């Protein structure tokens, strides 16, 4: 197990280094000038050059890259060009909304998918199976931003149960914050739950054909107990793999959904930073998302070994 963790940790570090290089280079080759964008089109060349020097944009690319990496390691991410405030403070403020939103969406995804997938597998080739998989196919075809607009029309405009947008903040109370994030989380979860439900159904059906399942039934174990204790655990390897990828997609999906619901999260910060060509904010936010994706994949690899002790370092 120690060798397994060391290998996965080395892969994590190497991936983060590669991601940092790619993020930096992609933003470097974008057209435009941050100093010119901040000063406006009518600014004099001398004023633009002075601001570029102040922001360090006149330094060689490799120098700025190493300064950026050093800042990441020490927690000094620099100051935003547009907001004139520390980037770290901006990111932490927005993460207080984005992380709970992504976790709520992931929790809804897992609950809906496991219930639908296991229920469909238990009714294989019956009306319930066909109906649930038909609904899952419809869910896969629905864009999350369109479903978000539909939820606003139904629950905010017609029924007026929820606010159409905005976030009052956690200072108004935990349940008030959860209520503000419920519709955005649901709009993110529907498509992912539909995909995961189909994966769960296939994995459960495959395990149900194993000999140990027939043995458990022969011993008189109930169908529900067999499904939710014996079958589901052995079917979780492919399910967890997809869950790890889906959490990454949920983080990326918040960029669109936060703008639909006008939520002051990390996704909206990235959108505004791109509009302002605030590259230091964009670079750090994208790197943060990349790091979260890599870390989630690392956690998924560790969960493999927890769920199936037969997995060894040589198997990866």
């Amino acid at each position: 197990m120690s060798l397994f963790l060391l290998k996965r940790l080395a892969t994590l570090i190497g991936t983060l280094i590669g991601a940092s290089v790619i993020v930096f280079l992609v933003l470097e080759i974008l057209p435009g000038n941050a100093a010119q964008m901040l000063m406006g089109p009518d600014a004099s060349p001398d004023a633009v050059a002075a601001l570029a020097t102040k922001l360090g944009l006149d330094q060689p690319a490799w120098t700025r890259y190493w300064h950026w990496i050093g800042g990441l390691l020490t927690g000094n991410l620099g100051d935003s060009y547009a907001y004139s405030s520390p980037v770290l403070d901006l990111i932490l403020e927005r993460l207080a909304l984005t992380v709970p939103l992504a976790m709520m969406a992931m929790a809804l995804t897992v609950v809906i998918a496991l219930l639908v997938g296991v229920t469909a597998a238990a009714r294989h080739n019956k009306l319930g199976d066909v109906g649930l998989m038909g609904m899952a196919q419809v869910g896969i075809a629905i864009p999350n931003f369109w479903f978000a607009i539909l939820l606003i029309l139904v629950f905010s405009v017609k029924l007026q149960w929820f606010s159409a947008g905005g976030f009052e903040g956690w200072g108004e109370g935990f349940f008030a914050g959860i209520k503000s994030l419920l519709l955005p989380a649901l709009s993110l979860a529907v498509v992912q739950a539909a995909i995961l439900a189909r994966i769960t159904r296939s994995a459960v059906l495959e395990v149900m054909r194993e000999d140990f399942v027939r043995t458990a039934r022969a011993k008189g174990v109930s169908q529900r107990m067999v499904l939710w204790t014996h079958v589901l655990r052995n079917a979780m390897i492919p399910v967890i793999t997809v869950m790890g990828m889906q959490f990454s997609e949920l983080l990326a999906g918040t960029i669109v959904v936060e703008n639909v619901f006008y939520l002051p999260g990390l996704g909206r910060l990235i959108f505004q930073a791109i509009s302002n060509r605030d590259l230091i904010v964009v670079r750090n936010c994208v790197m943060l998302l990349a790091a979260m994706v890599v870390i989630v994949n690392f956690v998924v690899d560790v969960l493999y070994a927890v769920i199936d002790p037969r997995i060894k370092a040589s198997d990866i």
Side-chain angles (χ1 to χ4, degrees), residues 34 38 45 71 101 122 159 182 184 217 252 259:
L38 292 173
L101 173 60
L159 299 177
L182 185 57
R217 287 176 176 172
N259 282 280

Side-chain angles (χ1 to χ4, degrees), residues 222-284:
S222 66
Q223 174 78 355
R224 179 178 298 180
M225 184 67 68
V226 169
L227 281 173
W228 292 98
T229 58
H230 298 282
V231 174
L232 185 58
R233 174 169 181 173
N234 288 276
M236 284 302 289
I237 291 293
V239 174
I240 287 180
T241 302
V242 176
M243 285 170 56
M245 294 186 293
Q246 287 186 322
F247 189 74
S248 305
E249 294 179 7
L250 288 175
L251 289 172
T254 58
I255 297 177
V256 176
V257 170
E258 285 178 3
N259 282 280
V260 173
F261 286 93
Y262 207 76
L263 297 173
L266 190 65
R268 185 160 182 81
L269 176 63
I270 295 175
F271 180 80
Q272 293 170 337
I274 292 173
S275 301
N276 297 327
R277 194 165 172 77
D278 197 349
L279 292 186
I280 191 170
V281 174
V282 177
R283 182 186 300 135
N284 285 292

